[in-house]
Amino acid sequence: MGAEIDLAGFTFVVILNLGITLAELIGGIIAGSLALISDSAHNFSDALSLILSYVAERVSKKPKNYRKTFGYKRANIIAAFFNSSTLLVIGGLLTMEAIRRFFEPVSINTNVVLVVGTIGLIANLLSMIMLKKWSKESLNIRSAYLHMLMDSLSSIAVLIGAVVIKIYGLKFLDSVVTILIALYVVKEAIEIFNASLSILMESTPAGFDVENISSQLLRNPVIKDIHHIHIWALDERNILFEGHVNLKEDVKLSDAMRIYNEIKSELEKFGINHVTIQFEFNGCKDTGLISCS
Ligand SMILES: [Zn+2]
Ligand SMILES: [Zn+2]
C-alpha cells in the first residue's frame, strides 16, 4: 500500500476484511462448508497482507543509518515473502482437505453459506470501491484493487456452489469451489513468492541481461574487459550495478572519472540507478563475466 492511502480509509478496508474473515470462519464451521472456510482464510491473509504492506511501507521509508547503510527498503520485500509463504501453506492445506472431502462428503447447511457468502461478497465489493478511488495513484493500490475484484468473483463462486448444492444436493461441489479458490490463491502467491525471493537472493532482476549490458559497455574503446559483474535489486525500484573495469591504458584518475561517468550514463539507459566500479590496469588474471579468480 502506498502512503497515499489515508489511515482512516485503510483501517476501514482492513476491518472489513477481518470482519468477513470472522463471519465466514464461524459460518463455515456451522455450515460445514470448506469453501466458505477457504474464502475466510483468503480474506484473513488479505487483511494480514494489507497490514504488513502498510507497516512495511512506513518502515521502508525510515532513513539510512550507520547500522543500516542500505536503509530499510527490504522491509517491503520481507513482508511480501512472508505473506506469500503463508498463502502457499494455506492453499496447500485447503486443497488437501478438499480432496479428503471428495471421499468423505460432509453435509452442508447451504442456507448459512448463502447468508454469510452474501455478506462476504458485499464486504469485498465495498473494499473494491474504496480501493478503486485510490487505484489511479499507485501501481501497488491498483494491484490491490484487481485483487479485490478477483476476490469478489471467488465469493460469487461460493454462492453459486451453495445454490447448486441446495437444489441438486451435489455435495462435492463444495470441494470443487474450494480447490478453485485455493488454486487462485496459490497462483497469486507463487508470483509474489518468486519476485520477493529473487530480490532476497540478489538475482539479476528480470529484464536485465548481464551479457548484453557488458557488451554494450565494451563498445567504449578504452575498456579492455569487464568482469566480476553484479546486477541486483535492493527493492522493486532500486537497481544496483558493480563490476571491475579493466582499462587498455594506465590513465590518470581524472580520465577514470570521465570513463566512470560514461559507464554510468550508459547503465542509466538500462534503468540502473546505483553504479560502483573498480577500475583496473592489468588487474585480475583469468577473468570471467561474473568472476575474477
Ligand atoms: Zn484476496
Ligand atoms: Zn578484477
Side-chain angles (χ1 to χ4, degrees):
M1 292 299 99
E4 297 90 345
I5 281 195
D6 59 294
L7 192 59
F10 167 81
T11 312
F12 177 74
V13 176
V14 169
I15 289 175
L16 213 53
N17 270 285
L18 286 176
I20 321 170
T21 301
L22 203 63
E24 286 186 331
L25 181 64
I26 295 170
I29 292 169
I30 292 173
S33 165
L34 193 60
L36 209 51
I37 295 174
S38 72
D39 211 37
S40 159
H42 182 110
N43 281 311
F44 180 63
S45 84
D46 281 356
L48 195 71
S49 87
L50 279 168
I51 296 169
L52 267 177
S53 334
Y54 187 79
V55 173
E57 191 81 25
R58 290 241 148 157
V59 170
S60 66
K61 290 208 166 71
K62 278 173 70 175
K64 299 169 183 177
N65 58 52
Y66 291 123
R67 301 293 315 160
K68 298 270 186 296
T69 55
F70 285 101
Y72 290 80
K73 295 204 175 73
R74 285 260 170 103
N76 261 337
I77 308 303
I78 294 168
F81 182 73
F82 179 78
N83 267 336
S84 53
S85 310
T86 316
L87 276 176
L88 284 176
V89 173
I90 291 175
L93 289 176
L94 287 170
T95 307
M96 273 161 54
E97 178 63 13
I99 291 170
R100 199 181 65 81
R101 286 194 178 192
F102 266 121
F103 302 103
E104 297 166 43
V106 177
S107 70
I108 293 158
N109 183 335
T110 49
N111 290 332
V112 175
V113 178
L114 284 173
V115 171
V116 178
T118 306
I119 296 171
L121 177 61
I122 292 169
N124 266 329
L125 288 173
L126 265 177
S127 325
M128 206 177 94
I129 293 165
M130 295 291 291
L131 290 168
K132 169 102 179 152
K133 274 199 310 191
W134 299 310
S135 69
K136 286 176 197 76
E137 291 173 36
S138 98
L139 195 67
N140 234 342
I141 301 171
R142 174 146 180 79
S143 71
Y145 161 70
L146 290 174
H147 183 119
M148 287 296 165
L149 182 75
M150 285 302 292
D151 286 2
S152 304
L153 293 180
S154 86
S155 292
I156 291 171
V158 171
L159 289 177
I160 292 174
V163 170
V164 177
I165 294 168
K166 192 177 169 69
I167 298 172
Y168 300 101
L170 303 172
K171 282 181 203 157
F172 71 91
L173 265 184
D174 195 65
S175 287
V176 174
V177 172
T178 301
I179 290 173
L180 286 177
I181 295 173
L183 283 179
Y184 161 53
V185 172
V186 167
K187 181 194 155 283
E188 69 187 32
I190 284 177
E191 283 165 19
I192 302 168
F193 182 84
N194 283 338
S196 55
L197 186 64
S198 157
I199 291 178
L200 291 175
M201 289 293 292
E202 321 277 7
S203 312
T204 305
F208 290 81
D209 179 347
V210 171
E211 283 173 310
N212 176 38
I213 290 174
S214 77
S215 67
Q216 283 300 316
L217 295 178
L218 282 173
R219 288 166 64 179
N220 193 325
V222 300
I223 298 175
K224 189 174 167 195
D225 71 75
I226 301 176
H227 56 277
H228 205 159
I229 292 178
H230 295 290
I231 300 175
W232 80 100
L234 187 54
D235 58 13
E236 304 107 304
R237 284 175 283 267
N238 292 285
I239 312 291
L240 294 85
F241 175 100
E242 68 173 42
H244 295 189
V245 173
N246 200 10
L247 297 178
K248 285 176 186 163
E249 283 175 43
D250 190 1
V251 300
K252 282 194 302 184
L253 201 49
S254 53
D255 292 324
M257 276 316 293
R258 181 182 46 78
I259 299 166
Y260 167 78
N261 283 319
E262 285 167 10
I263 293 174
K264 189 165 175 273
S265 65
E266 186 65 34
L267 288 172
E268 274 166 0
K269 287 183 206 158
F270 288 97
I272 291 166
N273 48 16
H274 193 287
V275 178
T276 308
I277 301 285
Q278 171 175 317
F279 281 113
E280 293 176 355
F281 177 65
N282 288 333
C284 300
K285 308 271 177 287
D286 299 329
T287 52
L289 261 190
I290 52 170
S291 69
C292 61
S293 55

